[in-house]
């Protein structure tokens, strides 16, 4: 997994790559049969586990002060693994204390477009060399009652109670390793908060059915926060990609948009 470039990347470059310089690296599609395969109209096709959108350059379509819009459309190469016509636009807007990133998926074909899409951003944690990850906690906007999706090698094994009227998760060693997957959160945002100073990074998660959290602090100083429309593979086969859990479906000519906002601030102690 690649962490996004949380610096924002608003440098007016002529292209953007979804895996390296895209804050909140994006994915479209995603394998569903294991071994990098997905079933479309009964035909297995090779497709990366995390989708393919992040593996291609996205062309700069519009730019102005504090705003960039990148565009990526299907090609013969993408249709070989994902047989649909589409356009994906990624908009970045600098705001007073943060960054807003919006994905817009347009179905440019003549049949329904099934897809998963989400953000893949790593946020620096610890914030400086004088802290360790145990000096931080995750703070949700409101108290939550939510299950954890238990998975092994990204295959769903079941669900178990995790949050019961709580809004904080202490970042003790191992709590996000290999991952923590929470469903149906009501909160509009989640913060990575430094306990002794109140400094935080706030990430918008509202409207997403799943949030994937993970970290490997002994190797890389970040916490990955992934709001998603889509989910891992279920243990039981389900056939077509369009039947995969939480897949979005867009009719010909229609659009779907999702947005993640990141803010930086300090909470009162």
């Amino acid at each position: 997994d690649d962490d996004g470039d949380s610096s924002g990347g608003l440098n007016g470059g002529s292209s953007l790559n979804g895996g390296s310089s895209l804050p909140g690296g994006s994915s479209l599609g995603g394998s569903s049969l294991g071994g990098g395969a997905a079933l479309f109209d009964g035909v297995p096709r090779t497709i990366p586990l995390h989708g393919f959108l992040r593996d291609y350059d996205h062309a700069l379509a519009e730019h102005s002060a504090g705003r960039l819009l990148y565009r990526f459309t299907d090609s013969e190469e993408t249709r070989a693994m994902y047989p649909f016509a589409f356009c994906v636009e990624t908009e970045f807007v600098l705001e007073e204390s943060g960054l807003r990133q919006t994905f817009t998926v347009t179905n440019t074909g003549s049949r329904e477009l099934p897809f998963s899409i989400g953000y893949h951003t790593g946020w620096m944690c610890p914030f400086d060399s004088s802290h360790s990850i145990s000096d931080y906690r995750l703070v949700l906007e409101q108290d939550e009652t939510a299950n954890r999706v238990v998975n092994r090698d990204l295959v769903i094994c079941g669900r178990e109670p995790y949050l019961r009227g709580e809004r904080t998760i202490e970042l003790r060693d191992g709590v996000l390793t290999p991952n923590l997957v929470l469903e149906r959160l009501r909160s509009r945002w989640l913060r990575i908060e430094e306990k002794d100073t109140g400094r935080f990074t706030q990430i918008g998660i509202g409207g997403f059915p799943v949030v994937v959290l993970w970290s490997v602090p002994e190797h890389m100083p970040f916490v990955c926060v992934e709001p998603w429309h889509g989910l891992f593979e279920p243990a039981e086969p389900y056939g077509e990609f369009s039947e995969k859990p939480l897949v979005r479906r867009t009719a010909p000519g229609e659009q779907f948009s999702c947005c993640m906002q990141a803010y930086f601030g300090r909470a009162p102690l």
Side-chain angles (χ1 to χ4, degrees):
D1 287 341
D2 296 324
D3 61 314
D5 173 9
S6 57
S7 65
L10 292 180
N11 55 16
S14 60
S15 68
L16 172 149
N17 179 274
S20 57
S21 62
L22 171 56
S26 55
S27 300
L28 187 73
S31 65
S32 61
L33 299 178
L39 198 65
F40 296 99
D41 300 325
V43 178
R45 297 175 183 263
T46 301
I47 188 170
L49 176 64
H50 291 295
F52 58 85
L53 198 63
R54 64 181 189 166
D55 297 326
Y56 289 88
D57 289 337
H58 299 220
L60 180 63
E62 300 176 15
H63 65 94
S64 58
R67 177 182 178 270
L68 297 175
L69 179 72
Y70 289 89
R71 184 172 295 138
F72 180 78
T73 59
D74 63 283
S75 65
E76 183 176 349
E77 184 175 347
T78 67
R79 291 190 297 272
M81 55 182 164
Y82 180 69
F84 299 94
F86 63 88
C87 173
V88 177
E89 293 184 330
T90 306
E91 181 189 49
F92 300 97
V93 177
L94 281 176
E95 299 183 327
E96 184 176 353
S97 57
L99 175 73
R100 172 165 49 88
Q101 180 187 355
T102 303
F103 291 137
T104 300
V105 180
T106 303
N107 183 349
T108 58
S110 59
R111 58 175 179 156
E112 186 177 68
L113 177 71
F115 62 94
S116 298
I117 194 164
Y119 295 85
H120 203 284
T121 314
W123 302 98
M124 183 175 176
C125 183
F127 297 163
D128 57 46
S129 59
S130 67
H131 292 84
S132 67
I133 194 168
S134 61
D135 296 319
Y136 295 82
R137 61 190 169 205
L138 302 180
V139 181
L140 291 155
E141 179 195 21
Q142 58 183 289
D143 291 341
E144 297 279 0
T145 297
N147 290 333
R148 173 180 187 163
V149 180
V150 181
N151 64 94
R152 183 176 296 109
D153 297 327
L154 302 185
V155 174
I156 298 171
C157 303
R159 289 164 172 81
E160 62 184 22
Y162 191 78
L163 295 174
R164 288 296 176 261
E166 304 163 87
R167 65 187 297 253
T168 60
I169 301 170
E170 298 293 329
L171 290 184
R172 60 185 184 276
D173 289 343
V175 71
L176 300 184
T177 305
N179 57 53
L180 173 60
V181 184
L182 299 175
E183 289 184 300
R184 299 181 177 88
L185 296 174
R186 297 173 301 153
S187 294
R188 294 172 299 173
W189 50 258
L190 174 153
R191 288 177 177 173
I192 304 169
E193 185 176 292
E194 198 170 67
K195 290 185 282 189
D196 65 340
T197 69
R199 293 190 300 174
F200 64 78
T201 299
Q202 178 174 301
I203 303 105
I205 59 172
F208 291 87
V210 173
V211 178
V212 181
L213 307 163
W214 61 273
S215 180
V216 281
E218 65 275 17
H219 298 299
M220 291 172 281
F222 67 81
V223 169
C224 199
V225 179
E226 302 189 21
W228 267 91
H229 290 279
L231 193 55
F232 302 140
E233 319 302 327
E236 297 297 325
Y238 53 85
E240 289 286 322
F241 175 84
S242 60
E243 299 171 14
K244 187 177 180 181
L246 302 181
V247 159
R248 302 290 313 192
R249 296 173 180 85
T250 302
E254 292 189 350
Q255 293 183 333
F256 169 81
S257 292
C258 57
C259 177
M260 181 182 69
Q261 294 173 289
Y263 295 108
F264 310 94
R266 187 182 299 266
L269 297 177

